């Protein structure tokens, strides 16, 4: 696996009952296998892009031999049910990656799908065991029915040139863009969107500049054409803080050689932006350490580098795969935790920043940013209380509503708006007859333009107001 490309994963499905499986976009790959799981009381979900099972929660743990390891139990389960997941030969298609036990004593095994030795993009399967060592859940994404050859006809260097050109098109002002690494993958188009698509052999090329640019570009390994692209810089204990000095250089000139503050230095520093960022980084570290037993975002004590007063891409804050950085005024506790959570997400779920995966990536950062804000006792959000369901939309500006009371066949509430050349609707509660004047010449652009005082032609669109359809003469009523 490329050191630049951590496991590319997709989100779990919503948990569905067996009766809802027919809603999958692709036909269910192994209906008999799915029904066998469902009959045993399992909750099953199918991937819409592949038709393969992607989530199973077991009602009762499978019977196992005494002393069987978690890995042996997982492989026995997949030998019995692998076809439902899209695996014809689980032992040959899956490579064991790691096993981790959390603070609750639950054990989580991770397997990566490969095809002829090449990793499959997002092809990750996980098995979850309770504290008693019993298998409870198996989930992940498997791309079934792979038959493509895995010898590329375009080199990684050719792919890198194509990837750099693509990124430069979208970031023409960014400096020092270069290829930072490449990895060969089997890539199923449409998988991220949840729709069926073809399988391709691709080069994943990481393109960046060590600062605000980090893009994962997928280049066809036979044609050198771009297949897909995802950003690696989502916009939100060993700490180091750096003063960006409002420099437009990215990273700033003093990174990484001249930190403003390092772990063990006196605190507070007297610089508000730095103090906010340093303290919130500690609160983030403590939250994940105490709640999940995780040592920094990497799980292995990675240094937490952060930069305040950056001068590029403002106003904003971001995680770029190496450090978090903030424009002036952005180092609040929830924003700092938001950005660090992007790092935790990258090193745990590895959710790509696109489609549903990207939405979950961003929502995790929002949720944990607010969780730290609520638990650190120093939040200043207004309102500062938990929202209720009824309050979730109180700050949303909804479009105007037109309530039609007659005739009955069209009665109801309708969202409304104005044409591009009309004034904004500013008077709530206005009532009257909704009419459409007719100039007698059939439907034309001269209908319904101006306030109508008497029947007859109306001036062309654009030369008069369009806000007087309420209260027009009764002769025009009902001509919708």
């Amino acid at each position: 696996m490329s050191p630049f490309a951590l496991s590319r994963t997709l989100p779990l499905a919503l948990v569905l009952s067996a009766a809802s499986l027919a809603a999958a976009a692709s036909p269910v790959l192994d209906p008999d296998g799915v029904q066998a799981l469902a009959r045993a009381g399992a909750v099953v979900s199918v991937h819409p892009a592949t038709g393969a099972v992607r989530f199973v929660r077991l009602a009762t743990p499978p019977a196992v031999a005494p002393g069987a390891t978690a890995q042996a139990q997982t492989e026995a389960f997949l030998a019995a049910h692998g076809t439902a997941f899209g695996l014809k030969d689980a032992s040959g298609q899956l490579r064991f990656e790691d096993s981790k036990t959390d603070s609750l004593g639950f054990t989580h095994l991770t397997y990566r799908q490969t095809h002829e030795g090449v990793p499959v993009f997002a092809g990750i399967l996980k098995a979850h065991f309770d504290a008693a060592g019993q298998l409870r859940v198996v989930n992940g994404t498997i791309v079934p029915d792979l038959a493509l050859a895995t010898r590329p006809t375009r080199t990684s260097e050719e792919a890198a040139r194509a990837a750099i050109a693509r990124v430069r098109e979208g970031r023409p002002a960014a400096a020092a863009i270069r290829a930072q690494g490449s990895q060969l993958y089997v890539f199923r188009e449409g998988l991220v969107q949840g729709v069926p698509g073809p399988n391709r052999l691709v080069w994943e090329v990481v393109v960046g500049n060590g600062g605000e640019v980090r893009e994962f570009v997928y280049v066809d390994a036979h044609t050198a054409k771009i297949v897909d692209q995802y950003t690696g810089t989502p916009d939100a204990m060993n700490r180091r803080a750096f003063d960006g000095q409002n420099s437009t250089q990215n990273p700033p000139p003093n990174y990484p050689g001249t930190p403003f503050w390092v772990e063990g230095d006196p605190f507070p520093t007297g610089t508000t932006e730095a103090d906010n960022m340093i303290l919130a980084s500690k609160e983030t570290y403590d939250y994940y350490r105490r709640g999940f037993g995780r040592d920094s975002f990497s799980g292995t004590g990675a240094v937490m580098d952060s930069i305040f007063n950056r001068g590029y891409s403002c106003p904003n804050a971001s995680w770029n795969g190496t450090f978090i950085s903030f424009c002036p005024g952005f180092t609040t506790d929830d924003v700092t935790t938001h950005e660090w959570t992007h790092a935790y997400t990258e090193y745990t779920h590895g959710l790509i920043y696109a489609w549903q995966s990207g939405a979950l990536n961003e929502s995790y950062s929002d949720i944990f940013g607010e969780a730290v804000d609520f638990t650190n006792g120093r939040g200043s959000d207004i309102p500062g209380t938990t929202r209720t369901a009824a309050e979730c939309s109180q700050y949303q500006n909804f479009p105007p509503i037109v309530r039609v009371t007659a005739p009955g066949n069209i009665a109801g509430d309708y969202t409304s708006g104005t044409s591009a050349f009309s004034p904004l609707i500013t008077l709530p509660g206005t009532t009257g007859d909704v009419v459409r004047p007719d100039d007698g010449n059939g439907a034309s652009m001269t209908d319904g333009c101006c306030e109508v005082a008497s029947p007859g032609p109306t001036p062309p669109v654009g030369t008069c107001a369009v806000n007087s359809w309420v209260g027009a003469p009764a002769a025009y009523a009902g001509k919708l």
Side-chain angles (χ1 to χ4, degrees):
M1 186 189 308
S2 165
F4 302 96
L6 301 174
S7 61
R8 302 282 170 255
T9 58
L10 305 181
L12 292 180
L14 295 175
V15 178
L16 305 176
S17 67
S20 66
L21 294 174
S26 289
V28 176
L29 192 67
D30 181 12
D32 292 339
V34 170
Q35 291 303 320
L37 288 165
R39 282 194 299 270
V43 176
V44 184
S45 173
V46 168
H47 200 298
T50 65
V53 167
R54 63 175 174 180
F55 180 92
V56 173
R57 186 174 67 217
L58 300 171
T60 56
V64 296
T69 65
Q71 190 170 346
Q73 291 183 56
T74 301
E75 291 167 6
F77 175 84
L78 292 175
H81 302 286
T83 55
F85 287 86
L87 295 165
K88 294 180 178 178
D89 175 18
S91 62
Q93 292 175 266
L94 294 179
R95 182 180 68 211
F96 177 73
E97 294 264 295
D98 63 25
S99 174
K100 294 180 180 177
T101 301
D102 62 28
S103 59
L104 299 177
F106 286 38
T107 300
H108 312 276
L109 274 60
T110 301
Y111 292 81
R112 171 172 287 281
Q113 183 187 7
T114 63
H115 174 63
E116 296 183 358
V118 176
V120 177
F121 177 88
I124 298 291
L125 198 68
K126 292 178 177 284
H128 308 274
F129 292 78
D130 62 20
Q134 297 178 315
L135 180 62
R136 290 297 185 179
V137 171
V138 178
N139 73 279
T141 299
I142 296 297
V143 178
D145 301 326
L146 295 175
L148 75 170
T150 56
R151 182 181 295 275
T153 56
R154 295 298 184 101
T155 66
S156 60
E157 290 78 11
E158 290 177 290
R161 288 194 291 271
I164 292 170
R166 165 57 69 89
V167 173
R168 280 179 174 159
E169 287 177 7
R171 306 295 293 270
I177 291 177
R178 64 190 183 279
Q180 298 175 319
S182 60
Q183 166 73 55
L184 196 64
Y185 275 104
V186 173
F187 188 96
R188 167 67 72 88
E189 283 193 68
L191 191 66
V192 179
Q193 296 96 316
V195 298
N199 298 314
R200 299 188 186 280
L201 186 67
V202 303
W203 288 105
E204 177 192 72
V205 183
V206 185
V207 178
N209 61 2
E212 82 281 13
V213 178
R214 188 175 65 138
E215 297 290 314
F216 295 92
V217 184
Y218 298 87
V219 183
D220 192 293
H222 298 298
T223 66
K225 292 183 177 179
I226 306 299
V227 174
D228 218 330
Q229 178 180 347
Y230 307 119
T231 187
T233 54
D235 302 291
M237 185 169 82
N238 185 0
R239 297 164 294 166
R240 296 192 301 181
F242 296 82
D243 185 354
Q245 301 174 329
N246 296 305
S247 171
T248 57
Q249 181 176 327
N250 184 9
N254 59 13
Y255 184 84
T258 312
F260 173 84
W261 181 94
V262 297
E263 200 73 58
D265 283 354
F267 183 83
T269 67
T271 300
T272 300
E273 292 284 277
D275 290 346
N276 288 345
M277 183 181 72
I278 294 167
L279 178 56
S281 293
K282 177 185 184 301
E283 291 168 343
T284 304
Y285 178 93
D286 289 345
Y287 187 92
Y288 281 103
R289 182 68 167 177
R290 293 168 183 168
F292 306 102
R294 193 163 184 84
D295 183 8
S296 187
F297 57 88
S298 67
T300 56
V303 176
M304 300 174 74
D305 282 348
S306 51
I307 299 172
F308 64 96
N309 286 344
R310 79 183 196 192
Y312 55 87
S313 302
C314 290
N316 210 344
S318 63
W319 155 256
N320 74 344
T322 303
F323 54 76
I324 61 172
S325 59
F326 305 86
C327 295
F330 275 72
T331 57
T332 60
D333 51 1
D334 49 358
V335 175
T336 300
T337 301
H338 176 109
E339 300 307 335
W340 277 129
T341 299
H342 282 307
Y344 280 84
T345 297
E346 177 175 320
Y347 277 79
T348 52
H349 297 90
L351 292 171
I352 61 175
Y353 204 66
W355 298 88
Q356 185 187 40
S357 300
L360 287 175
N361 190 326
E362 191 65 22
S363 70
Y364 290 161
S365 285
D366 285 342
I367 290 166
F368 284 107
E370 197 62 17
V372 168
D373 190 23
F374 270 115
T375 57
N376 63 13
R378 62 187 186 93
S380 58
D381 288 353
I382 299 174
T385 56
T386 303
R387 292 186 305 181
T388 65
E391 293 175 326
C392 284
S393 300
Q394 69 179 32
Y395 297 108
Q396 172 68 41
N397 293 320
F398 291 103
I401 296 294
V402 172
R403 175 165 294 168
V404 178
T405 57
N409 63 325
I410 62 169
D413 289 348
Y414 301 87
T415 56
S416 179
T418 60
S419 61
F421 50 82
S422 300
L424 295 176
I425 298 173
T426 58
L427 294 176
T430 302
T431 61
D433 294 328
V434 178
V435 299
R436 180 180 181 184
D438 186 343
D439 63 7
N441 296 320
S444 71
M445 290 296 289
T446 60
D447 287 348
C449 178
C450 288
E451 181 174 358
V452 179
S454 61
T458 58
V461 170
T463 64
C464 55
V466 195
N467 59 344
S468 301
W469 290 5
V470 173
Y476 301 96
K479 297 181 180 179
L480 298 176

